[in-house]
């Protein structure tokens, strides 16, 4: 089954404790991206990657890091989480080489709470 | 500053009638627009898109209209069905960056 998986689905942590949210896709997509969803703000893009070893900042990259060492994986790293990073996070992927490249497939989301 | 805006947080429509969801944007450089649907506890799913060089795209019950001079797009759902009840996000693409609106929660009343 074609899908984007995220782990963990729920996470409660404390300020300053480094964490990683994993994202993996099995569709051989080149493009991957991270978003956060907050009430009244919609989805905002954090980082995106056009391919392996190519990453770029989105609209709200501060406080986040990403890496793209393999095509299928795109982990989101919070080196020192703060309460304002409490949010619902989505990973997405798509294939720029096709006519449907804008049509991103989204993972189920990760609910992060930073205390 | 929000570059893509959905000014109606919610909309209720009777089953069988038309649902019209609206979206405004500020950046004339956007080259692709998309609509996504989101159910609770799930990720958004792609619904329909339109290139900036077109003014209409239709897919079954869903039609998206683009008015570039007004920087406005709308999603029409005809006829509306109870299963269409969800949050709808419009999004715009510019140079591989995506900008989403705040969403409109649609309720279709049986």
């Amino acid at each position: 089954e074609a899908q984007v998986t995220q782990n963990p689905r729920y996470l409660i942590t404390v300020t300053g404790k480094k964490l990683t949210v994993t994202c993996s896709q099995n569709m051989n997509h080149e493009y991957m991206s991270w978003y956060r969803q907050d009430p009244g703000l919609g989805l905002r893009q954090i980082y995106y990657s056009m391919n392996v070893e190519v990453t770029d900042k989105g609209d709200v990259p501060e406080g986040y890091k990403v890496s793209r060492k393999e095509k299928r994986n795109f982990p989101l790293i919070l080196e020192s989480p703060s309460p304002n990073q409490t949010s619902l996070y989505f990973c997405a992927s798509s294939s720029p080489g096709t006519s449907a490249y804008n049509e991103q497939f989204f993972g189920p989301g990760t609910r992060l709470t930073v205390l | 500053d929000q570059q893509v805006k959905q000014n109606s947080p919610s909309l209720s429509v009777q089953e069988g009638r038309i649902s019209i969801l609206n979206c405004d944007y500020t950046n004339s450089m956007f080259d692709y627009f998309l609509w996504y649907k989101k159910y609770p506890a799930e990720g958004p799913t792609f619904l329909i898109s339109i290139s900036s060089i077109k003014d209409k795209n239709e897919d079954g019950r869903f039609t998206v209209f683009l008015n570039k001079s007004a920087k406005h797009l709308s999603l029409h759902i005809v006829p509306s069905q109870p299963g269409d009840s969800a949050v709808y996000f419009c999004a715009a693409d510019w140079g591989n960056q995506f900008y989403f609106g705040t969403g409109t929660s649609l309720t279709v009343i049986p």
Side-chain angles (χ1 to χ4, degrees):
Chain A
E1 180 191 353
Q3 59 183 350
V4 178
T5 56
Q6 296 178 225
N7 282 294
R9 294 289 312 277
Y10 301 91
L11 179 60
I12 300 175
T13 189
V14 295
T15 299
K17 186 176 181 183
K18 181 179 179 179
L19 67 92
T20 299
V21 183
T22 64
C23 172
S24 183
Q25 50 94 3
N26 62 1
M27 294 167 281
N28 202 34
H29 285 166
E30 290 86 358
Y31 185 94
M32 296 187 75
S33 182
W34 276 102
Y35 298 87
R36 59 178 290 175
Q37 182 187 0
D38 302 289
L41 296 174
L43 285 94
R44 293 179 293 166
Q45 193 171 34
I46 302 170
Y47 269 95
Y48 64 96
S49 168
M50 292 297 296
N51 214 324
V52 176
E53 302 292 359
V54 180
T55 62
D56 282 291
K57 295 178 180 178
D59 217 19
V60 288
E62 295 77 21
Y64 304 95
K65 283 177 60 176
V66 292
S67 69
R68 187 90 183 274
K69 298 190 187 311
E70 303 167 282
K71 196 173 187 180
R72 63 182 293 128
N73 296 323
F74 192 44
L76 179 69
I77 303 154
L78 285 72
E79 298 234 329
S80 184
S82 62
N84 64 12
Q85 293 178 297
T86 293
S87 187
L88 178 58
Y89 291 86
F90 291 101
C91 180
S93 72
S94 64
S95 186
T98 69
S99 61
Y101 94 97
N102 284 297
E103 301 165 17
Q104 295 177 70
F105 290 80
F106 280 80
T110 295
R111 173 77 65 183
L112 172 65
T113 302
V114 183
L115 301 174
Chain B
D1 192 28
Q2 200 86 16
Q3 297 196 50
V4 177
K5 297 178 184 177
Q6 294 175 258
N7 292 318
S8 299
S10 62
L11 175 68
S12 290
V13 171
Q14 286 291 134
E15 180 178 4
R17 306 292 290 268
I18 184 171
S19 296
I20 300 177
L21 295 93
N22 294 303
C23 181
D24 297 295
Y25 61 94
T26 57
N27 188 344
S28 58
M29 300 297 289
F30 287 141
D31 50 23
Y32 225 86
F33 301 90
L34 308 95
W35 284 93
Y36 285 84
K37 180 165 85 171
K38 185 181 181 305
Y39 293 118
E42 294 182 12
T45 55
F46 171 76
L47 197 56
I48 191 170
S49 63
I50 187 168
S51 165
S52 61
I53 62 172
K54 305 205 173 207
D55 53 22
K56 177 182 175 182
N57 188 28
E58 197 169 347
D59 183 2
R61 296 186 297 114
F62 303 92
T63 303
V64 57
F65 295 93
L66 176 62
N67 182 335
K68 286 188 292 292
S69 61
K71 295 193 179 69
H72 178 83
L73 67 155
S74 60
L75 174 68
H76 293 211
I77 307 173
V78 183
S80 301
Q81 300 172 354
D84 295 330
S85 297
V87 176
Y88 290 78
F89 290 98
C90 67
D93 171 26
W94 179 33
N96 300 309
Q97 275 194 254
F98 289 84
Y99 298 85
F100 281 74
T102 51
T104 295
S105 178
L106 173 66
T107 302
V108 180
I109 304 162

